Amino acid sequence: MKLDALAGNAALKEQLSAQEKGRGLSHAYLISGPAGSGKRTLARLLSAAMVCTGSGEKPCGSCAACKKVFGGIHPDVIQVGADGKDISVGQAREARSDAYIRPNEGARKVYVFHNAHNMTTAAQNALLKLLEEGPAYAAFLLLAENPGSVLTTIRSRCEGAALTPVTAAEAEYELARRFPQVSRDLRHAAARRCGGLLGQAVAELESQEAGDQLRAECARFLELLAQKNELEFAAWCVELEKWERSNLLLLLERSTALLGDALALQKGGDLLTASPEELPSLQKAAALPPQKLLRTVELLKKLKNDAAFNVNGGQLCGALAAGVHGGQL
Ligand SMILES: [Zn+2]
């Protein structure tokens, strides 16, 4: 099997590959390990291997089925409880009745149960019936931080796949592959801090990158505002439309706070939010008349309120472009 995307865990990968080559993959796995140990990565690889239509080693990663699994859109790979909430008995029963509807595209249907360690006994019993009586084309991947909290009857019907923490060197190797743009020192520090739980280091670097990007775009906003270049500002707003809504809201929030600092700067007051790197863009914005800054603050606040009423990202960015340079400010 092609399991390189899962860091470390050499013995487990060998065991799964041998199994796949021999009697074939099992219909149920209990994938266990602490948060950040790679449970979701392994579940994705196993689901892809189960529905892969490519020839050669599975998952091939390039057939339409694999691409859909890795993109999270394969109709026959069903995620239960991926939102992090506990799986209810209703959800387990729903999966049970859904399992009897034949696969849409492939030969198999794969159910991934997230946080199986947090399922109530009633939900686990419904899941047990599914494991016992489910159709032959159905496969089940149960993800659990603590396999001990899964009913013994369920455990006995699953093949165990226990993930182990990776070494610092393995973590660093994987981080270099995924974050080539991040400095070696930062990757090294994150790899050491994660204690072998690679997912935690990935989350740390991702949030750091998101934070860096957010700060850079807020600075860009202040500079564009100061430049009064309508076309460039509109082009920047179009770029923003690609952002996730939650990040857009963060951008509105931080920019509002920075404009507050620009006003404070004009009056010689203390800066509340700005970091030293943001000072140059802040100074440019502080050169604008205070009325303009105040009206921009009002506009950003209004957009944030509008966002609470399901106004989508495109509309928000359009309103930002129109509001800043549409003569209203
Ligand atoms: Zn494939």
Side-chain angles (χ1 to χ4, degrees):
M1 281 183 88
K2 215 153 91 186
L3 299 171
D4 316 347
L6 178 71
N9 290 284
L12 176 62
K13 288 196 267 196
E14 260 170 47
Q15 181 200 325
L16 288 169
S17 297
Q19 202 179 77
E20 197 246 356
K21 256 188 225 140
R23 63 176 161 85
L25 289 174
S26 165
H27 87 295
Y29 285 94
L30 176 57
I31 302 175
S32 61
S37 59
K39 297 187 291 299
R40 276 174 299 176
T41 303
L42 180 57
R44 212 163 27 242
L45 290 166
L46 284 174
S47 327
M50 285 171 177
V51 296
C52 174
T53 54
S55 51
E57 227 182 346
K58 290 183 192 283
C60 76
S62 49
C63 72
C66 279
K67 283 186 181 156
K68 283 185 189 175
V69 175
F70 294 127
I73 54 160
H74 197 295
D76 297 322
V77 176
I78 298 111
Q79 311 289 332
V80 187
D83 57 3
K85 290 186 190 146
D86 292 357
I87 297 169
S88 67
V89 61
Q91 281 174 294
R93 286 194 188 128
E94 202 180 305
R96 213 168 119 202
S97 44
D98 181 79
Y100 288 96
I101 304 168
R102 293 201 63 85
N104 288 286
E105 295 185 359
R108 304 200 74 169
K109 232 171 163 175
V110 188
Y111 291 85
V112 184
F113 286 86
H114 296 258
N115 298 316
H117 55 280
N118 275 342
M119 287 172 83
T120 61
T121 311
Q124 290 202 43
N125 279 322
L127 173 61
L128 179 63
K129 285 214 177 68
L130 177 58
L131 290 176
E132 286 173 337
E133 304 160 3
Y137 56 74
F140 307 94
L141 304 175
L142 278 53
L143 276 47
E145 278 179 28
N146 171 16
S149 46
V150 176
L151 291 180
T152 339
T153 40
I154 290 188
R155 262 185 287 157
S156 67
R157 277 169 182 79
C158 297
E159 194 99 34
L163 291 157
T164 45
V166 301
T167 63
E170 283 168 337
E172 217 170 325
Y173 174 81
E174 191 56 29
L175 293 178
R177 202 175 64 82
R178 290 203 214 177
F179 299 93
Q181 71 286 15
V182 171
S183 80
R184 202 160 169 265
D185 286 351
L186 275 182
R187 292 195 307 246
H188 180 73
R192 294 195 67 90
R193 258 196 301 272
C194 76
L197 301 171
L198 184 65
Q200 293 184 4
V202 169
E204 184 187 322
L205 291 186
E206 275 176 351
S207 73
Q208 173 130 11
E209 276 206 316
D212 287 349
Q213 195 194 1
L214 183 69
R215 273 187 294 278
E217 292 304 328
C218 288
R220 180 103 185 100
F221 170 68
L222 293 184
E223 288 182 11
L224 287 171
L225 192 68
Q227 279 170 18
K228 303 176 192 163
N229 183 332
E230 194 170 333
L231 269 181
E232 216 172 310
F233 189 78
W236 179 74
C237 289
V238 169
E239 279 302 303
L240 281 190
E241 287 180 23
K242 295 178 200 150
W243 280 37
E244 265 178 43
R245 214 176 119 89
S246 54
N247 291 337
L248 265 182
L249 288 178
L250 286 175
L251 178 93
L252 291 176
E253 204 161 296
R254 176 141 190 90
S255 301
T256 312
L258 284 173
L259 289 174
D261 271 354
L263 282 160
L265 202 63
Q266 289 179 336
K267 293 182 190 147
D270 289 337
L271 302 185
L272 295 176
T273 311
S275 59
E277 308 88 73
E278 288 166 315
L279 209 55
S281 5
L282 203 62
Q283 278 160 340
K284 286 181 196 158
L288 287 163
Q291 296 85 339
K292 166 96 179 170
L293 293 178
L294 280 169
R295 275 185 240 127
T296 311
V297 167
E298 289 312 312
L299 172 71
L300 298 187
K301 282 186 182 164
K302 182 187 172 302
L303 293 179
K304 240 191 102 218
N305 277 342
D306 290 351
F309 295 99
N310 274 336
V311 174
N312 68 38
Q315 288 165 319
L316 280 181
C317 296
L320 180 64
V324 166
H325 284 298
Q328 296 158 28
L329 294 177

